[in-house]
Amino acid sequence: MSRPVRAHIDLPALRHNFGIARRHAGTARLWTVVKANAYGHGLLRCAEALSDTATGNAADGFALIELENALKLRAAGIRQPILLLEGHYHADELPLFAEHRLTPVLHTLAQTHSFVTASLPNRLPVYLKLNTGMNRLGLDPAEYPTALRLLERSANVASITLMTHFSDADYGHAVNGLAPQLARLARFPNPAAHPLSLANSAALLRHPETCAGTGNWARPGIMLYGSAPDPEWHSASELGLRPVMTLSSELIAVRPLAAGERVGYNGHFTAEQDMRIGIVACGYADGYPRHAPTGTPVLVAGQRSRTLGRISMDKLCVDLSHLPTATPGTPVTLWGAGLPADEVAQAAGTVSYELFCALATRVPIIEQST
Ligand SMILES: *Cc1c(COP(=O)(O)O)cnc(C)c1O
């Protein structure tokens, strides 16, 4: 009795993808990255699906950005370590870190200083982030000895792990991939003295050697949700990954379009010949990207078709020329099972990360747990 747009979340697929990450990681432990509401898939739903240590398929820890969400994980009974990827923003957050055993990433000297000078009731593990060329967060080699000395002498520190984040593990436009950043990492004095956390999904899949070594941790995100970190290298299905989110809806109208007639706002699509089109109950207020151009792939009754014209707030239009039996009520898949989000993202000039994170709260979630 409600609008037909739905996001189906396939938790067995999430666990399957986690198993693939586990295989690639060798002996490294895995932070499951659940920032941004588990990339739009639902924080508690995903964390709980990967937290049952009895199954042998549980995350070793959860990594995210938002302190309030870390507290939600603790309130839900999640016992694993929790890593705060940007650490604390203000010293007044640190008592909560201590109380709930949260691991901060420390990425500037000032933040390191504020951590070691806080008065905390117990020691915490910390991550020290090194800048190896991403040039967003992290200490430079000149600052690193000071930070390390502060941490090694601090009564607030239980253990130190060194971390860095790769800008080109998916290669992007860089021919060298990880080599420049690994070379810069080697310039930090004695980086092997502490455990390391280097790999995101792309590095884990493409350069599993970045996980090797005892006590090291990888930080996969996107692959757990079933997308490829670099679809041009290998697609998600080639990597054995299964989509977790399927965004679907239905046709709510079907109409003929005569040659020369236009569709939607600003008439961005003009029919070259007489044709049939369908109107789908899904638009940018549901999280579908407004910038997806005519030709972005969709599935109508399981058959591939394409979008036509501008994406509206609540609707988008699709080509039914080769689908004569499609009628109102015919199912439409926007991405997910049968239509990789990576393909939709590529057509729309973005990445599946952005599609998933943009899923709107008005879209009902159908959770499949077994
Ligand atoms: C988001 C994030 C990850 C996960 O990256 P994916 O590409 O989704 O695997 C890993 N490390 C850090 C620091 C991150 O911010």
mmCIF file of all heavy atoms in Angstrom, residues 18 21-22 25 28-34 50 58-64 74 80-85 101-105 125-127 161 163 196-201 204 215-221 224-225:
data_model
loop_
_atom_site.group_PDB
_atom_site.id
_atom_site.type_symbol
_atom_site.label_atom_id
_atom_site.label_comp_id
_atom_site.label_asym_id
_atom_site.label_seq_id
_atom_site.Cartn_x
_atom_site.Cartn_y
_atom_site.Cartn_z
ATOM 1 N N PHE A 18 32.520 -10.411 3.132
ATOM 2 C CA PHE A 18 33.481 -10.368 4.234
ATOM 3 C C PHE A 18 34.415 -11.574 4.175
ATOM 4 O O PHE A 18 35.626 -11.462 4.396
ATOM 5 C CB PHE A 18 32.747 -10.307 5.584
ATOM 6 C CG PHE A 18 33.680 -10.222 6.744
ATOM 7 C CD1 PHE A 18 34.235 -9.016 7.111
ATOM 8 C CD2 PHE A 18 34.026 -11.364 7.456
ATOM 9 C CE1 PHE A 18 35.133 -8.937 8.174
ATOM 10 C CE2 PHE A 18 34.920 -11.291 8.512
ATOM 11 C CZ PHE A 18 35.468 -10.078 8.868
ATOM 12 N N ALA A 21 37.084 -10.884 1.742
ATOM 13 C CA ALA A 21 38.103 -9.999 2.335
ATOM 14 C C ALA A 21 39.013 -10.814 3.263
ATOM 15 O O ALA A 21 40.239 -10.659 3.250
ATOM 16 C CB ALA A 21 37.435 -8.866 3.100
ATOM 17 N N ARG A 22 38.425 -11.672 4.040
ATOM 18 C CA ARG A 22 39.190 -12.499 4.981
ATOM 19 C C ARG A 22 40.213 -13.348 4.221
ATOM 20 O O ARG A 22 41.365 -13.450 4.631
ATOM 21 C CB ARG A 22 38.190 -13.370 5.753
ATOM 22 C CG ARG A 22 38.773 -14.222 6.833
ATOM 23 C CD ARG A 22 39.327 -13.434 7.999
ATOM 24 N NE ARG A 22 38.394 -13.239 9.086
ATOM 25 C CZ ARG A 22 38.602 -12.351 10.068
ATOM 26 N NH1 ARG A 22 39.680 -11.576 10.086
ATOM 27 N NH2 ARG A 22 37.731 -12.205 11.038
ATOM 28 N N ALA A 25 43.103 -11.260 3.082
ATOM 29 C CA ALA A 25 43.870 -10.609 4.143
ATOM 30 C C ALA A 25 44.903 -11.524 4.774
ATOM 31 O O ALA A 25 45.774 -11.052 5.514
ATOM 32 C CB ALA A 25 42.925 -10.072 5.217
ATOM 33 N N ALA A 28 46.266 -10.968 8.431
ATOM 34 C CA ALA A 28 45.913 -9.630 8.938
ATOM 35 C C ALA A 28 44.498 -9.644 9.492
ATOM 36 O O ALA A 28 43.633 -10.375 9.014
ATOM 37 C CB ALA A 28 46.018 -8.592 7.824
ATOM 38 N N ARG A 29 44.264 -8.829 10.500
ATOM 39 C CA ARG A 29 42.917 -8.676 11.014
ATOM 40 C C ARG A 29 42.176 -7.599 10.218
ATOM 41 O O ARG A 29 42.797 -6.810 9.503
ATOM 42 C CB ARG A 29 42.961 -8.356 12.513
ATOM 43 C CG ARG A 29 43.172 -9.649 13.312
ATOM 44 C CD ARG A 29 43.401 -9.394 14.778
ATOM 45 N NE ARG A 29 44.722 -8.822 14.996
ATOM 46 C CZ ARG A 29 45.153 -8.390 16.175
ATOM 47 N NH1 ARG A 29 44.369 -8.432 17.227
ATOM 48 N NH2 ARG A 29 46.378 -7.900 16.304
ATOM 49 N N LEU A 30 40.850 -7.613 10.345
ATOM 50 C CA LEU A 30 40.022 -6.760 9.482
ATOM 51 C C LEU A 30 39.178 -5.786 10.292
ATOM 52 O O LEU A 30 38.332 -6.203 11.095
ATOM 53 C CB LEU A 30 39.071 -7.627 8.637
ATOM 54 C CG LEU A 30 39.712 -8.516 7.578
ATOM 55 C CD1 LEU A 30 38.633 -9.336 6.885
ATOM 56 C CD2 LEU A 30 40.476 -7.676 6.558
ATOM 57 N N TRP A 31 39.415 -4.502 10.048
ATOM 58 C CA TRP A 31 38.446 -3.493 10.447
ATOM 59 C C TRP A 31 37.356 -3.496 9.381
ATOM 60 O O TRP A 31 37.664 -3.308 8.188
ATOM 61 C CB TRP A 31 39.071 -2.092 10.452
ATOM 62 C CG TRP A 31 40.100 -1.852 11.494
ATOM 63 C CD1 TRP A 31 41.435 -1.678 11.288
ATOM 64 C CD2 TRP A 31 39.888 -1.683 12.899
ATOM 65 N NE1 TRP A 31 42.073 -1.437 12.476
ATOM 66 C CE2 TRP A 31 41.143 -1.426 13.492
ATOM 67 C CE3 TRP A 31 38.753 -1.734 13.715
ATOM 68 C CZ2 TRP A 31 41.304 -1.217 14.861
ATOM 69 C CZ3 TRP A 31 38.917 -1.523 15.079
ATOM 70 C CH2 TRP A 31 40.172 -1.271 15.645
ATOM 71 N N THR A 32 36.118 -3.695 9.766
ATOM 72 C CA THR A 32 35.012 -3.516 8.823
ATOM 73 C C THR A 32 34.639 -2.045 8.852
ATOM 74 O O THR A 32 34.279 -1.517 9.907
ATOM 75 C CB THR A 32 33.822 -4.390 9.266
ATOM 76 O OG1 THR A 32 34.151 -5.747 8.985
ATOM 77 C CG2 THR A 32 32.551 -4.018 8.544
ATOM 78 N N VAL A 33 34.759 -1.372 7.711
ATOM 79 C CA VAL A 33 34.502 0.071 7.697
ATOM 80 C C VAL A 33 32.990 0.294 7.558
ATOM 81 O O VAL A 33 32.373 -0.146 6.584
ATOM 82 C CB VAL A 33 35.297 0.771 6.580
ATOM 83 C CG1 VAL A 33 35.035 2.271 6.606
ATOM 84 C CG2 VAL A 33 36.798 0.513 6.764
ATOM 85 N N VAL A 34 32.422 0.934 8.582
ATOM 86 C CA VAL A 34 30.970 1.160 8.641
ATOM 87 C C VAL A 34 30.642 2.652 8.784
ATOM 88 O O VAL A 34 29.597 3.016 9.316
ATOM 89 C CB VAL A 34 30.296 0.344 9.779
ATOM 90 C CG1 VAL A 34 30.312 -1.143 9.462
ATOM 91 C CG2 VAL A 34 30.976 0.608 11.124
ATOM 92 N N LEU A 50 27.884 -8.829 11.217
ATOM 93 C CA LEU A 50 29.296 -9.234 11.206
ATOM 94 C C LEU A 50 29.904 -9.252 12.607
ATOM 95 O O LEU A 50 31.121 -9.140 12.757
ATOM 96 C CB LEU A 50 30.108 -8.293 10.307
ATOM 97 C CG LEU A 50 29.823 -8.392 8.812
ATOM 98 C CD1 LEU A 50 30.617 -7.339 8.046
ATOM 99 C CD2 LEU A 50 30.150 -9.779 8.285
ATOM 100 N N ALA A 58 33.219 -13.192 11.897
ATOM 101 C CA ALA A 58 32.950 -11.904 12.520
ATOM 102 C C ALA A 58 34.095 -10.937 12.259
ATOM 103 O O ALA A 58 35.253 -11.344 12.168
ATOM 104 C CB ALA A 58 32.769 -12.085 14.026
ATOM 105 N N ALA A 59 33.737 -9.671 12.150
ATOM 106 C CA ALA A 59 34.747 -8.631 12.008
ATOM 107 C C ALA A 59 35.626 -8.623 13.253
ATOM 108 O O ALA A 59 35.169 -8.909 14.356
ATOM 109 C CB ALA A 59 34.066 -7.275 11.853
ATOM 110 N N ASP A 60 36.905 -8.274 13.065
ATOM 111 C CA ASP A 60 37.789 -8.120 14.222
ATOM 112 C C ASP A 60 37.563 -6.778 14.892
ATOM 113 O O ASP A 60 37.912 -6.589 16.054
ATOM 114 C CB ASP A 60 39.242 -8.244 13.765
ATOM 115 C CG ASP A 60 39.488 -9.581 13.077
ATOM 116 O OD1 ASP A 60 39.256 -10.622 13.712
ATOM 117 O OD2 ASP A 60 39.877 -9.583 11.897
ATOM 118 N N GLY A 61 37.005 -5.833 14.135
ATOM 119 C CA GLY A 61 36.703 -4.519 14.681
ATOM 120 C C GLY A 61 35.892 -3.730 13.668
ATOM 121 O O GLY A 61 35.721 -4.175 12.524
ATOM 122 N N PHE A 62 35.383 -2.590 14.112
ATOM 123 C CA PHE A 62 34.586 -1.728 13.233
ATOM 124 C C PHE A 62 35.235 -0.353 13.190
ATOM 125 O O PHE A 62 35.656 0.173 14.226
ATOM 126 C CB PHE A 62 33.143 -1.632 13.746
ATOM 127 C CG PHE A 62 32.428 -2.950 13.664
ATOM 128 C CD1 PHE A 62 32.366 -3.788 14.766
ATOM 129 C CD2 PHE A 62 31.875 -3.386 12.471
ATOM 130 C CE1 PHE A 62 31.742 -5.032 14.692
ATOM 131 C CE2 PHE A 62 31.250 -4.626 12.376
ATOM 132 C CZ PHE A 62 31.181 -5.446 13.492
ATOM 133 N N ALA A 63 35.320 0.210 11.990
ATOM 134 C CA ALA A 63 35.938 1.526 11.827
ATOM 135 C C ALA A 63 34.905 2.493 11.280
ATOM 136 O O ALA A 63 34.158 2.155 10.349
ATOM 137 C CB ALA A 63 37.129 1.433 10.860
ATOM 138 N N LEU A 64 34.855 3.670 11.883
ATOM 139 C CA LEU A 64 33.935 4.685 11.387
ATOM 140 C C LEU A 64 34.465 6.072 11.726
ATOM 141 O O LEU A 64 35.594 6.222 12.224
ATOM 142 C CB LEU A 64 32.499 4.458 11.894
ATOM 143 C CG LEU A 64 32.237 3.972 13.316
ATOM 144 C CD1 LEU A 64 32.943 4.821 14.340
ATOM 145 C CD2 LEU A 64 30.768 3.921 13.607
ATOM 146 N N ARG A 74 28.323 0.442 20.707
ATOM 147 C CA ARG A 74 28.520 -0.062 22.074
ATOM 148 C C ARG A 74 27.178 -0.308 22.757
ATOM 149 O O ARG A 74 26.992 -1.334 23.419
ATOM 150 C CB ARG A 74 29.351 0.943 22.889
ATOM 151 C CG ARG A 74 30.836 0.940 22.522
ATOM 152 C CD ARG A 74 31.547 -0.306 23.056
ATOM 153 N NE ARG A 74 32.973 -0.300 22.747
ATOM 154 C CZ ARG A 74 33.563 -1.100 21.854
ATOM 155 N NH1 ARG A 74 32.859 -2.006 21.197
ATOM 156 N NH2 ARG A 74 34.858 -1.030 21.631
ATOM 157 N N GLN A 80 33.619 -5.693 19.911
ATOM 158 C CA GLN A 80 34.889 -5.603 19.183
ATOM 159 C C GLN A 80 35.507 -4.206 19.311
ATOM 160 O O GLN A 80 34.809 -3.242 19.611
ATOM 161 C CB GLN A 80 34.660 -5.882 17.688
ATOM 162 C CG GLN A 80 34.561 -7.354 17.328
ATOM 163 C CD GLN A 80 33.117 -7.837 17.235
ATOM 164 O OE1 GLN A 80 32.214 -7.259 17.853
ATOM 165 N NE2 GLN A 80 32.908 -8.901 16.498
ATOM 166 N N PRO A 81 36.819 -4.099 19.038
ATOM 167 C CA PRO A 81 37.429 -2.772 18.981
ATOM 168 C C PRO A 81 36.719 -1.875 17.962
ATOM 169 O O PRO A 81 36.196 -2.367 16.960
ATOM 170 C CB PRO A 81 38.867 -3.058 18.518
ATOM 171 C CG PRO A 81 39.123 -4.494 18.868
ATOM 172 C CD PRO A 81 37.789 -5.184 18.772
ATOM 173 N N ILE A 82 36.696 -0.587 18.248
ATOM 174 C CA ILE A 82 36.093 0.398 17.339
ATOM 175 C C ILE A 82 37.133 1.483 17.077
ATOM 176 O O ILE A 82 37.697 2.058 18.023
ATOM 177 C CB ILE A 82 34.803 0.996 17.942
ATOM 178 C CG1 ILE A 82 33.747 -0.101 18.111
ATOM 179 C CG2 ILE A 82 34.269 2.123 17.061
ATOM 180 C CD1 ILE A 82 32.441 0.380 18.748
ATOM 181 N N LEU A 83 37.386 1.728 15.801
ATOM 182 C CA LEU A 83 38.402 2.698 15.379
ATOM 183 C C LEU A 83 37.715 3.951 14.852
ATOM 184 O O LEU A 83 36.845 3.858 13.973
ATOM 185 C CB LEU A 83 39.259 2.064 14.266
ATOM 186 C CG LEU A 83 40.382 2.898 13.669
ATOM 187 C CD1 LEU A 83 41.478 3.179 14.703
ATOM 188 C CD2 LEU A 83 40.996 2.181 12.452
ATOM 189 N N LEU A 84 38.090 5.102 15.404
ATOM 190 C CA LEU A 84 37.549 6.384 14.959
ATOM 191 C C LEU A 84 38.532 6.991 13.960
ATOM 192 O O LEU A 84 39.617 7.441 14.349
ATOM 193 C CB LEU A 84 37.327 7.319 16.145
ATOM 194 C CG LEU A 84 36.033 7.186 16.937
ATOM 195 C CD1 LEU A 84 34.840 7.658 16.104
ATOM 196 C CD2 LEU A 84 35.771 5.783 17.422
ATOM 197 N N LEU A 85 38.147 6.986 12.680
ATOM 198 C CA LEU A 85 39.116 7.237 11.603
ATOM 199 C C LEU A 85 39.637 8.675 11.554
ATOM 200 O O LEU A 85 40.663 8.926 10.921
ATOM 201 C CB LEU A 85 38.502 6.863 10.248
ATOM 202 C CG LEU A 85 38.279 5.359 10.040
ATOM 203 C CD1 LEU A 85 37.342 5.115 8.864
ATOM 204 C CD2 LEU A 85 39.610 4.653 9.815
ATOM 205 N N ARG A 101 36.090 2.389 25.328
ATOM 206 C CA ARG A 101 37.211 1.677 24.702
ATOM 207 C C ARG A 101 37.240 1.904 23.191
ATOM 208 O O ARG A 101 37.245 0.972 22.402
ATOM 209 C CB ARG A 101 37.156 0.162 25.011
ATOM 210 C CG ARG A 101 37.286 -0.168 26.504
ATOM 211 C CD ARG A 101 37.169 -1.650 26.770
ATOM 212 N NE ARG A 101 35.859 -2.177 26.400
ATOM 213 C CZ ARG A 101 35.592 -2.881 25.318
ATOM 214 N NH1 ARG A 101 36.552 -3.215 24.491
ATOM 215 N NH2 ARG A 101 34.365 -3.284 25.067
ATOM 216 N N LEU A 102 37.292 3.152 22.791
ATOM 217 C CA LEU A 102 37.353 3.508 21.374
ATOM 218 C C LEU A 102 38.800 3.845 21.021
ATOM 219 O O LEU A 102 39.503 4.483 21.812
ATOM 220 C CB LEU A 102 36.447 4.715 21.084
ATOM 221 C CG LEU A 102 35.009 4.562 21.589
ATOM 222 C CD1 LEU A 102 34.215 5.843 21.306
ATOM 223 C CD2 LEU A 102 34.329 3.344 20.969
ATOM 224 N N THR A 103 39.231 3.414 19.851
ATOM 225 C CA THR A 103 40.606 3.648 19.407
ATOM 226 C C THR A 103 40.648 4.888 18.534
ATOM 227 O O THR A 103 40.030 4.893 17.464
ATOM 228 C CB THR A 103 41.105 2.432 18.594
ATOM 229 O OG1 THR A 103 40.959 1.257 19.384
ATOM 230 C CG2 THR A 103 42.554 2.603 18.162
ATOM 231 N N PRO A 104 41.355 5.941 18.963
ATOM 232 C CA PRO A 104 41.419 7.115 18.095
ATOM 233 C C PRO A 104 42.542 6.997 17.068
ATOM 234 O O PRO A 104 43.600 6.444 17.357
ATOM 235 C CB PRO A 104 41.723 8.261 19.070
ATOM 236 C CG PRO A 104 42.522 7.611 20.157
ATOM 237 C CD PRO A 104 42.022 6.170 20.258
ATOM 238 N N VAL A 105 42.296 7.525 15.876
ATOM 239 C CA VAL A 105 43.372 7.812 14.929
ATOM 240 C C VAL A 105 43.872 9.212 15.274
ATOM 241 O O VAL A 105 43.074 10.152 15.356
ATOM 242 C CB VAL A 105 42.872 7.771 13.466
ATOM 243 C CG1 VAL A 105 43.938 8.313 12.513
ATOM 244 C CG2 VAL A 105 42.479 6.350 13.082
ATOM 245 N N PRO A 125 44.360 1.855 23.071
ATOM 246 C CA PRO A 125 45.189 1.699 21.880
ATOM 247 C C PRO A 125 45.013 2.950 20.995
ATOM 248 O O PRO A 125 43.924 3.537 20.976
ATOM 249 C CB PRO A 125 44.599 0.465 21.186
ATOM 250 C CG PRO A 125 43.290 0.207 21.826
ATOM 251 C CD PRO A 125 43.197 0.982 23.102
ATOM 252 N N VAL A 126 46.059 3.335 20.314
ATOM 253 C CA VAL A 126 45.938 4.481 19.388
ATOM 254 C C VAL A 126 46.522 4.103 18.033
ATOM 255 O O VAL A 126 47.390 3.237 17.922
ATOM 256 C CB VAL A 126 46.647 5.752 19.907
ATOM 257 C CG1 VAL A 126 46.062 6.210 21.228
ATOM 258 C CG2 VAL A 126 48.144 5.558 20.008
ATOM 259 N N TYR A 127 46.006 4.757 17.018
ATOM 260 C CA TYR A 127 46.554 4.684 15.662
ATOM 261 C C TYR A 127 47.218 6.023 15.372
ATOM 262 O O TYR A 127 46.623 7.079 15.636
ATOM 263 C CB TYR A 127 45.432 4.437 14.639
ATOM 264 C CG TYR A 127 45.185 2.970 14.377
ATOM 265 C CD1 TYR A 127 45.062 2.059 15.414
ATOM 266 C CD2 TYR A 127 45.072 2.502 13.060
ATOM 267 C CE1 TYR A 127 44.847 0.714 15.151
ATOM 268 C CE2 TYR A 127 44.854 1.159 12.800
ATOM 269 C CZ TYR A 127 44.744 0.268 13.847
ATOM 270 O OH TYR A 127 44.533 -1.064 13.581
ATOM 271 N N THR A 161 49.610 1.647 16.733
ATOM 272 C CA THR A 161 49.614 1.072 15.379
ATOM 273 C C THR A 161 49.830 2.230 14.410
ATOM 274 O O THR A 161 49.254 3.309 14.607
ATOM 275 C CB THR A 161 48.282 0.353 15.076
ATOM 276 O OG1 THR A 161 48.101 -0.683 16.050
ATOM 277 C CG2 THR A 161 48.275 -0.260 13.690
ATOM 278 N N MET A 163 49.419 3.872 10.717
ATOM 279 C CA MET A 163 48.521 3.703 9.577
ATOM 280 C C MET A 163 48.798 4.743 8.517
ATOM 281 O O MET A 163 49.327 5.827 8.802
ATOM 282 C CB MET A 163 47.066 3.757 10.046
ATOM 283 C CG MET A 163 46.336 5.042 9.818
ATOM 284 S SD MET A 163 44.616 4.941 10.396
ATOM 285 C CE MET A 163 43.769 5.351 8.882
ATOM 286 N N LEU A 196 51.109 -2.328 11.554
ATOM 287 C CA LEU A 196 50.729 -1.406 10.481
ATOM 288 C C LEU A 196 49.285 -1.657 10.059
ATOM 289 O O LEU A 196 48.805 -2.789 10.078
ATOM 290 C CB LEU A 196 51.620 -1.627 9.258
ATOM 291 C CG LEU A 196 53.098 -1.279 9.370
ATOM 292 C CD1 LEU A 196 53.844 -1.792 8.135
ATOM 293 C CD2 LEU A 196 53.271 0.230 9.512
ATOM 294 N N SER A 197 48.635 -0.584 9.616
ATOM 295 C CA SER A 197 47.324 -0.703 8.972
ATOM 296 C C SER A 197 47.363 0.153 7.721
ATOM 297 O O SER A 197 47.385 1.388 7.805
ATOM 298 C CB SER A 197 46.213 -0.230 9.911
ATOM 299 O OG SER A 197 44.966 -0.291 9.227
ATOM 300 N N LEU A 198 47.431 -0.514 6.566
ATOM 301 C CA LEU A 198 47.625 0.202 5.314
ATOM 302 C C LEU A 198 46.444 0.055 4.360
ATOM 303 O O LEU A 198 46.035 1.022 3.726
ATOM 304 C CB LEU A 198 48.888 -0.314 4.590
ATOM 305 C CG LEU A 198 50.189 -0.385 5.402
ATOM 306 C CD1 LEU A 198 51.319 -0.895 4.515
ATOM 307 C CD2 LEU A 198 50.537 0.969 5.987
ATOM 308 N N ALA A 199 45.918 -1.170 4.209
ATOM 309 C CA ALA A 199 45.103 -1.489 3.032
ATOM 310 C C ALA A 199 43.636 -1.124 3.182
ATOM 311 O O ALA A 199 42.988 -1.499 4.155
ATOM 312 C CB ALA A 199 45.224 -2.980 2.722
ATOM 313 N N ASN A 200 43.099 -0.419 2.198
ATOM 314 C CA ASN A 200 41.652 -0.307 1.973
ATOM 315 C C ASN A 200 41.252 -1.468 1.055
ATOM 316 O O ASN A 200 42.059 -2.359 0.768
ATOM 317 C CB ASN A 200 41.306 1.059 1.374
ATOM 318 C CG ASN A 200 42.080 1.336 0.084
ATOM 319 O OD1 ASN A 200 42.848 0.496 -0.398
ATOM 320 N ND2 ASN A 200 41.895 2.518 -0.473
ATOM 321 N N SER A 201 40.011 -1.466 0.549
ATOM 322 C CA SER A 201 39.570 -2.582 -0.308
ATOM 323 C C SER A 201 40.488 -2.750 -1.512
ATOM 324 O O SER A 201 40.858 -3.871 -1.871
ATOM 325 C CB SER A 201 38.152 -2.340 -0.837
ATOM 326 O OG SER A 201 37.229 -2.270 0.201
ATOM 327 N N LEU A 204 43.775 -4.240 -0.554
ATOM 328 C CA LEU A 204 43.590 -5.610 -0.068
ATOM 329 C C LEU A 204 43.434 -6.578 -1.240
ATOM 330 O O LEU A 204 44.002 -7.676 -1.250
ATOM 331 C CB LEU A 204 42.352 -5.643 0.835
ATOM 332 C CG LEU A 204 41.937 -6.971 1.450
ATOM 333 C CD1 LEU A 204 43.031 -7.540 2.320
ATOM 334 C CD2 LEU A 204 40.671 -6.767 2.276
ATOM 335 N N GLY A 215 50.375 -8.938 13.230
ATOM 336 C CA GLY A 215 49.726 -7.861 13.974
ATOM 337 C C GLY A 215 49.138 -6.765 13.106
ATOM 338 O O GLY A 215 48.667 -5.758 13.622
ATOM 339 N N ASN A 216 49.174 -6.938 11.806
ATOM 340 C CA ASN A 216 48.691 -5.874 10.924
ATOM 341 C C ASN A 216 47.179 -5.978 10.697
ATOM 342 O O ASN A 216 46.584 -7.033 10.864
ATOM 343 C CB ASN A 216 49.441 -5.909 9.589
ATOM 344 C CG ASN A 216 50.912 -5.537 9.780
ATOM 345 O OD1 ASN A 216 51.287 -5.044 10.838
ATOM 346 N ND2 ASN A 216 51.727 -5.787 8.773
ATOM 347 N N TRP A 217 46.614 -4.857 10.309
ATOM 348 C CA TRP A 217 45.166 -4.765 10.102
ATOM 349 C C TRP A 217 44.875 -4.145 8.733
ATOM 350 O O TRP A 217 45.538 -3.174 8.349
ATOM 351 C CB TRP A 217 44.537 -3.829 11.143
ATOM 352 C CG TRP A 217 44.454 -4.358 12.538
ATOM 353 C CD1 TRP A 217 45.483 -4.547 13.413
ATOM 354 C CD2 TRP A 217 43.254 -4.739 13.242
ATOM 355 N NE1 TRP A 217 45.012 -5.014 14.612
ATOM 356 C CE2 TRP A 217 43.640 -5.141 14.541
ATOM 357 C CE3 TRP A 217 41.895 -4.760 12.901
ATOM 358 C CZ2 TRP A 217 42.731 -5.569 15.500
ATOM 359 C CZ3 TRP A 217 40.991 -5.184 13.864
ATOM 360 C CH2 TRP A 217 41.398 -5.593 15.146
ATOM 361 N N ALA A 218 43.880 -4.675 8.037
ATOM 362 C CA ALA A 218 43.381 -4.030 6.814
ATOM 363 C C ALA A 218 42.051 -3.339 7.120
ATOM 364 O O ALA A 218 41.436 -3.615 8.158
ATOM 365 C CB ALA A 218 43.205 -5.070 5.713
ATOM 366 N N ARG A 219 41.652 -2.440 6.219
ATOM 367 C CA ARG A 219 40.453 -1.626 6.467
ATOM 368 C C ARG A 219 39.515 -1.658 5.258
ATOM 369 O O ARG A 219 39.282 -0.631 4.617
ATOM 370 C CB ARG A 219 40.850 -0.168 6.766
ATOM 371 C CG ARG A 219 41.857 0.015 7.890
ATOM 372 C CD ARG A 219 42.094 1.501 8.179
ATOM 373 N NE ARG A 219 42.479 2.258 7.010
ATOM 374 C CZ ARG A 219 43.730 2.406 6.572
ATOM 375 N NH1 ARG A 219 44.736 1.860 7.215
ATOM 376 N NH2 ARG A 219 43.968 3.115 5.476
ATOM 377 N N PRO A 220 38.939 -2.836 4.919
ATOM 378 C CA PRO A 220 38.056 -2.867 3.758
ATOM 379 C C PRO A 220 36.717 -2.196 4.020
ATOM 380 O O PRO A 220 36.150 -2.325 5.107
ATOM 381 C CB PRO A 220 37.867 -4.366 3.500
ATOM 382 C CG PRO A 220 38.044 -4.992 4.852
ATOM 383 C CD PRO A 220 39.081 -4.161 5.555
ATOM 384 N N GLY A 221 36.222 -1.496 3.022
ATOM 385 C CA GLY A 221 34.892 -0.891 3.074
ATOM 386 C C GLY A 221 34.079 -1.353 1.872
ATOM 387 O O GLY A 221 33.333 -2.332 1.956
ATOM 388 N N LEU A 224 33.029 -4.927 0.868
ATOM 389 C CA LEU A 224 32.087 -5.647 1.728
ATOM 390 C C LEU A 224 30.654 -5.416 1.271
ATOM 391 O O LEU A 224 29.784 -6.255 1.471
ATOM 392 C CB LEU A 224 32.256 -5.214 3.183
ATOM 393 C CG LEU A 224 33.668 -5.355 3.752
ATOM 394 C CD1 LEU A 224 33.699 -4.852 5.190
ATOM 395 C CD2 LEU A 224 34.151 -6.796 3.677
ATOM 396 N N TYR A 225 30.434 -4.245 0.668
ATOM 397 C CA TYR A 225 29.087 -3.904 0.199
ATOM 398 C C TYR A 225 28.871 -4.385 -1.233
ATOM 399 O O TYR A 225 27.839 -4.115 -1.837
ATOM 400 C CB TYR A 225 28.853 -2.401 0.371
ATOM 401 C CG TYR A 225 29.119 -1.998 1.810
ATOM 402 C CD1 TYR A 225 30.295 -1.343 2.176
ATOM 403 C CD2 TYR A 225 28.229 -2.368 2.813
ATOM 404 C CE1 TYR A 225 30.572 -1.046 3.506
ATOM 405 C CE2 TYR A 225 28.498 -2.079 4.149
ATOM 406 C CZ TYR A 225 29.670 -1.418 4.490
ATOM 407 O OH TYR A 225 29.939 -1.147 5.800
#
